[in-house]
Amino acid sequence: MFKKHHPFKNSAFPGSGHKHHPSFDRSDLVGWKMAHHEEEIPDAAWQAEQERCLKLGLPGADSLDDKTIPTFSRGELPHFAGINTFMKAPYVENVKDVGKYDAAIIGAPFDGGTTYRPGARFGPQGIRRISALYTPYNYEIGVDLREQMNLCDVGDVFTIPANIEKSFDQISNAVSHVFASGALPIILGGDHSIGFATVRGIARNTDKRIGIIHFDRHADIQEKDLDERMHTTPWFHATNLPNVPATNLVQIGIGGWQVPREAIKEARHRETTIITMNDVERLGLDKVVEIALEYAWKDADAVYLSFDIDSVDAGFVPGTGWPEPGGFLPREILYLLGAVAKEGICGMEVVEVSPPYDISDITSLMATRAIVDVLGTLVAHGKMGDHQKIIRGWE
């Protein structure tokens, strides 16, 4: 016969007679600290939102026990219903009102700069759709975006599918308007060609020096591709702007078999800082952050954050135009994005999300998570609105 074995005997469970790490203080856990920190976060904005939804959507049926539920869905709940804006944030139809908000989501549905797999024009739609899955509260960061900042969605730029340059002009106009208003522009791409247009929109509103931290598997700094300014060329043209020097461009995650020699020649000539995936492995995440902040901020007054979704390993983000194995793990990229955002940013873009190639929206979800992590970090470290000091004429 088999002997009976008590599953908890001689293990780290109550009554076992043995304690594992008896000196450990659970109050050192982030989970413990943030659970207690939650009590300090106000909920006035949530209460106001419930009242607004009841007023606009009519009181719910008499059979409902929860009297905060309206008849018509308005606002965040339920996550599967309603009109998709990013994180169910208010839609600002009159863009002249954007300055009333701390940050604004801008869709840039353009993939005319794509050289192989199209579909990034549907990126803003895909990101907004899956963003409904999230709430504005992050337990680990200890931030409730609804309570601690004002986020809005201004909708999409009217891009011109058959014309790269006119689309660039439209995107620059849109980003320029939002940035000049004082709201922080968060751009949903779109392919990476828009990086030039987005940075130009910010740079035209300031005399201050701007650095760029760029997460990607590709260098994207050659002058032309297929005789045009494409998604492989944004940083050549962005760093031609007088207040966006190439020496303040830091590119992280570069490597693999899709980095053209033309781009490397240009990076060498312009003395940009390239940190490859091998460098990341060798140096570690914290050292990479240190290097990135050192070079991007050297003599600069603000830093722009460009996150190409294909910097994440292709197994986690299949819905992109130019996948490349060997990139970041999701936890690594989220750590890096948060770490560089702690110093403040003047804008952010997430590019190359291509929903037609996606599986179960996981690529769009990764893009959403990157954005809300950066926003949460800015709030947690008191950097939301810090970009306003570089706006020309801002008081």
Side-chain angles (χ1 to χ4, degrees), residues 164-177 179-180 185 187 193-206 210 212 229 234-235 237-244 304 346 349 392:
I164 292 174
E165 298 303 326
K166 289 181 180 179
S167 291
F168 285 173
D169 291 343
Q170 288 282 86
I171 293 167
S172 290
N173 278 359
V175 174
S176 176
H177 172 77
F179 183 76
I187 301 98
S193 68
I194 71 169
F196 160 62
T198 56
V199 171
R200 182 175 64 177
I202 292 173
R204 65 172 52 160
N205 286 287
T206 181
I210 298 172
I212 300 172
R229 299 202 280 193
W235 308 133
H237 305 285
T239 57
N240 276 344
L241 298 169
N243 55 339
V244 190
Y304 182 77
C346 63
E349 65 186 13
R392 187 184 298 115

Side-chain angles (χ1 to χ4, degrees), residues 1 15 18 41 48 52 68 96 103 113 122 128 139 142 179 205 208 237 242 338 375 388:
M1 295 178 64
H18 175 71
I41 301 174
R52 185 189 72 87
T68 66
K96 295 177 182 178
F122 301 111
R128 287 188 177 106
Y139 164 50
F179 183 76
N205 286 287
K208 302 297 185 179
H237 305 285
L375 291 176
Q388 294 172 352

Side-chain angles (χ1 to χ4, degrees), residues 13 15 27 56 76 104 106 109 121 123 126 141 144 148 193 206 211 214 229 243 264 293 299 302 351 380 394:
F13 289 87
S27 65
L56 299 179
E76 178 189 337
I106 310 168
R121 69 182 62 187
I141 300 177
D144 189 323
Q148 296 169 279
S193 68
T206 181
H214 164 221
R229 299 202 280 193
N243 55 339
I264 298 306
L293 293 174
D299 299 321
V351 297
W394 187 263

Side-chain angles (χ1 to χ4, degrees), residues 118-130:
R121 69 182 62 187
F122 301 111
Q125 287 184 1
I127 295 169
R128 287 188 177 106
R129 183 175 60 250
I130 198 62

